[in-house]
């Protein structure tokens, strides 16, 4: 497990390239910095300056090697590498509030942008005009879209929103693709159709993720719950209220296990049992440093009692790897079916790479199903 | 010159009600609440926490539920609080936390001290998550 501190400021968002040698991240300002791995160092090789507002979402398409970024300046840019320079192309999103998140579709012919304008812009490239065009999904979204994830069939899109709901929409664009085959979430998928809407959890939906098969969707909500819904005749929702602070991001690492992380600064494992439709807590995925326990002098004890009204010798320093909230998780290799490594970035400006095998052997009773 | 000759009736209109972007929660049916009988404290707690007026918009019903629960909570002995909290399930602990914070809002003589003891025990079981759920709940008790 490796931890690298990039900056002192929060990393707003990050994206990896196909072979995981380069990472594009936003250092909490209007730019995107691309770092390249060189042995054990990270060198900044590109700085992408085009946005007029903070960059809130980055996604790097692995096959076509294009980066899409979106920001609070209500714009999105698609960057293509020409020689040694990244050239931006503006995409008009027709939104009047900040864009919050962006993801490429699995086939990389479309991308979706969630924004504060209470709508999702699904953008595709129109060959005749050499121009990115966007279509809006508006109903029945009532508030900001915080997170998006595509289904493997390139048509369905899961969206988590500030109106306390996680929904699955159809983002079928007839200009770029064939009619999709029926899925567990339904068979008729015209553009903008709501295939699923969550019930049961309250709180803003911070993170949403489809499983590898696309039959399950998981979301993390601000009321400290994680929920999984399984598609079918009637979608089954299962949620788990946790005793921790709210989680901000969630991802499947196998079909039955999820890793989530958030304001508690360490990733957590959840296991979903589809036979009983039950979600359970799998374990805390942090490797704590064994701090030397020195005995407390009487003076220190009195000082603690005076200052903090407690006799605890717990230090004020967090024991986890990340020293501040973790805002994004990305899978490095293995895909969502058999993830072997995942990466977390957070508000402490650091990036940690976690190895699933090492974690499994380090924590006893940790079973990744 | 000093007298306002134009109509100021428009000032009495609540403009937020007419905002077309206004967020309206899903509305569910209201449930009524019955008071518990005196006697077995544990059972009284369970009964008091049954059927919380979560879906009701009627403040009178909520007020009644709150006084009932507060009465039950304050009549517990200090040593009985922990086993009582342990006997509740996850949703029960969340509901208890909601009532505790509602009780903090309107302190009656000595109620805060008892409520703080309840809070400590409920926090040990429910953790920060139960407090976050009190803060983020759309349907308050």
């Amino acid at each position: 497990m490796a931890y690298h501190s990039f900056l002192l400021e929060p990393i707003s968002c990050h994206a990896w390239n196909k072979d995981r040698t380069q990472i594009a991240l936003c250092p909490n300002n209007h730019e995107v910095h691309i770092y390249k791995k060189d042995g054990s160092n990270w060198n900044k090789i590109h700085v992408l300056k085009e946005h007029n507002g903070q960059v809130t979402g980055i996604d790097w398409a692995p096959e076509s090697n294009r980066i899409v970024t979106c920001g609070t300046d209500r714009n999105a840019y698609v960057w293509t590498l020409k020689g040694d320079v990244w050239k931006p192309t503006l995409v008009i999103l027709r939104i009047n509030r900040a864009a919050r998140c962006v993801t490429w579709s699995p086939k990389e012919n479309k991308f979706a942008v969630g924004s504060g304008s209470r709508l999702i812009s699904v953008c595709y490239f129109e060959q005749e005009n050499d121009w990115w065009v966007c279509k809006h999904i508006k109903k029945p979204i009532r508030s900001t879209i915080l997170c998006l994830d595509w289904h493997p069939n390139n048509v369905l899109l899961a969206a988590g929103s500030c109106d306390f709901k996680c929904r699955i929409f159809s983002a079928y664009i007839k200009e770029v693709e064939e009619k999709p085959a029926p899925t567990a979430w339904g068979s008729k998928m015209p553009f903008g159709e709501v295939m699923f809407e969550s019930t049961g959890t309250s709180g803003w939906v911070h993170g949403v993720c489809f499983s590898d098969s696309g039959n399950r969707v998981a979301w993390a909500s601000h009321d400290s719950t994680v929920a999984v819904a399984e598609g079918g005749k009637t979608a089954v929702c299962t949620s788990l209220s946790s005793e921790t602070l709210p989680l901000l991001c969630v991802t499947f690492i196998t079909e039955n296990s999820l890793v989530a992380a958030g304001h508690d600064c360490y990733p957590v494992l959840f296991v979903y049992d589809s036979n009983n439709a039950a979600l359970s807590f799998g374990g805390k995925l942090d490797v704590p440093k064994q701090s030397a326990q020195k005995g407390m002098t009487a003076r220190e004890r009195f000082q603690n009692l005076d200052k903090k009204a407690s006799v605890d010798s717990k230090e004020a320093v967090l024991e986890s790897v990340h020293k501040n909230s973790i805002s994004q998780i990305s899978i490095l290799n293995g895909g969502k079916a058999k993830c072997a490594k995942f990466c977390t970035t957070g508000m402490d400006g650091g990036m940690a790479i976690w190895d699933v095998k090492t974690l499994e052997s380090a924590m006893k009773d940790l079973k990744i199903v | 010159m000093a007298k306002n000759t134009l109509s100021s009736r428009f000032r009495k209109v609540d403009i937020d009600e007419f905002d077309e972007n206004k967020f309206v929660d899903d509305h569910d049916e209201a449930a009524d609440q019955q008071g518990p009988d005196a006697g077995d404290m544990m059972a009284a707690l369970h009964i008091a926490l049954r059927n919380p007026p979560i879906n009701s918009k009627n403040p009178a019903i909520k007020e009644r539920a709150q006084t009932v629960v507060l009465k039950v909570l304050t009549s517990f002995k200090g040593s009985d609080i922990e086993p009582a909290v342990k006997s509740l399930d996850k949703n029960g602990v969340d509901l208890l936390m909601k009532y505790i914070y509602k009780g903090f809002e309107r302190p009656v003589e000595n109620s805060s001290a008892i409520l703080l003891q309840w809070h400590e025990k409920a926090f040990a079981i429910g953790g920060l998550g139960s407090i976050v759920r009190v803060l983020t709940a759309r349907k308050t008790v």
Side-chain angles (χ1 to χ4, degrees):
Chain A
M1 198 217 56
Y3 178 79
H4 179 86
S5 175
F6 276 103
L7 332 139
L8 290 172
E9 295 213 301
I11 293 180
S12 315
C13 45
H14 75 269
W16 290 90
N17 69 343
K18 180 174 180 182
D19 52 7
R20 313 314 192 196
T21 53
Q22 295 184 29
I23 182 172
L25 50 86
C26 170
N28 204 36
N29 60 13
H30 305 337
E31 305 166 350
V32 174
H33 294 183
I34 301 187
Y35 285 82
K36 191 179 169 121
K37 195 163 172 67
D38 181 20
S40 59
N41 297 333
W42 289 89
N43 303 323
K44 190 183 334 188
I45 53 170
H46 291 118
V47 175
L48 276 43
K49 285 191 227 233
E50 197 74 23
H51 277 282
N52 285 326
Q54 193 200 18
V55 180
T56 50
I58 305 181
D59 200 15
W60 199 322
E63 302 302 325
S64 51
N65 205 36
R66 288 177 296 186
I67 299 179
V68 62
T69 57
C70 72
T72 55
D73 58 355
R74 317 190 301 277
N75 288 334
Y77 289 94
V78 174
W79 303 79
T80 24
L81 189 63
K82 295 229 164 49
D84 201 27
V85 182
W86 287 94
K87 290 258 182 289
T89 312
L90 174 67
V91 178
I92 306 276
L93 298 172
R94 298 185 281 131
I95 54 181
N96 53 12
R97 294 287 186 278
R100 282 294 258 112
C101 51
V102 64
T103 38
W104 282 107
S105 69
K107 293 212 182 83
E108 296 166 23
N109 50 7
K110 313 184 274 196
F111 62 87
V113 180
S115 67
S117 312
R118 303 135 55 107
L119 50 84
I120 304 174
S121 300
V122 181
C123 307
Y124 60 98
F125 195 65
E126 211 167 61
Q127 275 300 123
E128 313 95 57
N129 297 332
D130 195 25
W131 179 243
W132 287 90
V133 176
C134 80
K135 284 177 103 163
H136 286 167
I137 299 179
K138 273 197 163 146
K139 294 199 162 62
I141 304 172
R142 314 271 302 285
S143 191
T144 308
I145 297 284
L146 287 178
C147 51
L148 294 167
D149 192 35
W150 286 91
H151 186 282
N153 75 354
N154 211 55
V155 171
L156 296 179
L157 183 61
S161 162
C162 279
D163 61 2
F164 324 116
K165 299 229 183 282
C166 165
R167 298 185 180 89
I168 298 182
F169 291 99
S170 159
Y172 167 63
I173 308 266
K174 61 181 192 296
E175 283 88 346
V176 299
E177 57 199 348
E178 303 291 313
K179 246 197 159 125
T183 66
W185 303 99
S187 37
K188 286 189 87 58
M189 292 179 249
F191 181 80
E193 177 87 359
V194 180
M195 314 300 290
F196 164 75
E197 189 171 274
S198 73
T199 49
T201 53
S202 52
W204 306 320
V205 179
H206 285 293
V208 74
C209 183
F210 266 113
S211 69
D212 188 55
S213 64
N215 293 333
R216 296 189 187 151
V217 68
W219 64 94
S221 174
H222 198 71
D223 59 349
S224 291
T225 57
V226 177
V228 174
E230 182 135 21
K233 263 271 156 63
T234 40
V236 180
C237 281
T238 329
S239 67
L240 176 69
S241 314
S242 71
E243 284 91 46
T244 56
L245 291 175
L247 297 158
L248 291 176
C249 45
V250 67
T251 183
F252 274 93
I253 52 170
T254 66
E255 192 69 17
N256 296 318
S257 313
L258 320 146
V259 168
H263 289 291
D264 270 315
C265 319
Y266 52 78
V268 176
L269 176 74
F270 291 98
V271 180
Y272 179 68
D273 178 5
S274 53
N275 298 330
N276 304 333
L279 192 56
S280 57
F281 177 69
K284 189 172 139 170
L285 294 178
D286 205 20
V287 191
K289 288 197 287 278
Q290 294 297 334
S291 50
Q293 291 284 350
K294 47 183 199 300
M296 282 237 295
T297 62
R299 185 154 184 267
E300 278 169 3
R301 223 180 266 275
F302 255 121
Q303 270 185 334
N304 257 345
L305 199 56
D306 180 38
K307 271 193 265 186
K308 299 182 222 166
S310 78
V311 290
D312 258 325
S313 61
K314 227 169 23 168
E315 286 147 32
V317 182
L318 271 180
E319 288 176 355
S320 55
V321 171
H322 276 283
K323 299 299 176 208
N324 207 328
S325 313
I326 295 176
S327 51
Q328 195 177 343
I329 284 192
S330 53
I331 305 259
L332 286 183
N333 45 26
K336 286 191 210 163
K338 270 204 96 46
C339 172
K341 277 204 177 126
F342 60 89
C343 156
T344 51
T345 56
M347 307 215 199
D348 56 351
M351 171 200 70
I353 299 188
W354 308 78
D355 191 296
V356 171
K357 282 270 159 350
T358 329
L359 286 168
E360 245 182 318
S361 50
M363 327 262 135
K364 306 170 288 215
D365 319 322
L366 191 77
K367 293 254 287 172
I368 299 185
V369 180
Chain B
M1 188 135 73
K3 186 171 171 196
N4 181 11
T5 47
L6 295 170
S7 163
S8 48
R9 222 169 51 169
F10 68 89
R11 298 186 187 278
K12 299 203 177 82
V13 173
D14 180 10
I15 190 137
D16 289 328
E17 287 293 316
F18 299 107
D19 182 8
E20 53 198 32
N21 290 338
K22 182 170 186 241
F23 185 84
V24 179
D25 269 306
D26 303 325
H27 184 62
D28 285 322
E29 292 307 310
D32 205 10
Q33 231 248 338
Q34 269 110 44
D37 308 315
D40 180 11
M41 290 323 304
M42 201 72 105
L45 179 67
H46 282 259
I47 293 175
L49 291 179
R50 242 195 353 219
N51 289 339
I54 279 189
N55 294 324
S56 162
K57 292 244 169 75
N58 188 344
I61 297 184
K62 292 193 190 245
E63 195 60 47
R64 198 152 39 110
Q66 176 63 25
T67 21
V68 164
V69 174
L70 198 54
K71 204 160 57 157
V72 174
L73 292 183
T74 43
S75 49
F76 260 78
K77 269 203 319 262
S79 46
D80 291 337
I81 294 183
E82 190 161 350
V85 177
K86 285 218 166 79
S87 74
L88 293 171
D89 64 341
K90 239 185 180 163
N91 290 338
V93 174
D94 285 346
L95 190 56
L96 178 64
M97 264 302 191
K98 284 188 182 165
Y99 277 116
I100 291 174
Y101 275 94
K102 191 103 195 279
F104 280 143
E105 282 172 34
R106 223 96 62 76
V108 187
E109 49 163 78
N110 235 12
S111 69
S112 290
I114 312 278
L115 284 177
L116 275 172
Q117 284 185 314
W118 276 96
H119 186 276
E120 190 195 342
K121 301 287 182 263
F123 174 65
I125 310 267
L128 289 163
S130 60
I131 299 182
V132 172
R133 275 184 284 282
V134 173
L135 296 171
T136 57
R138 299 289 299 181
K139 302 186 173 160
T140 54
V141 90

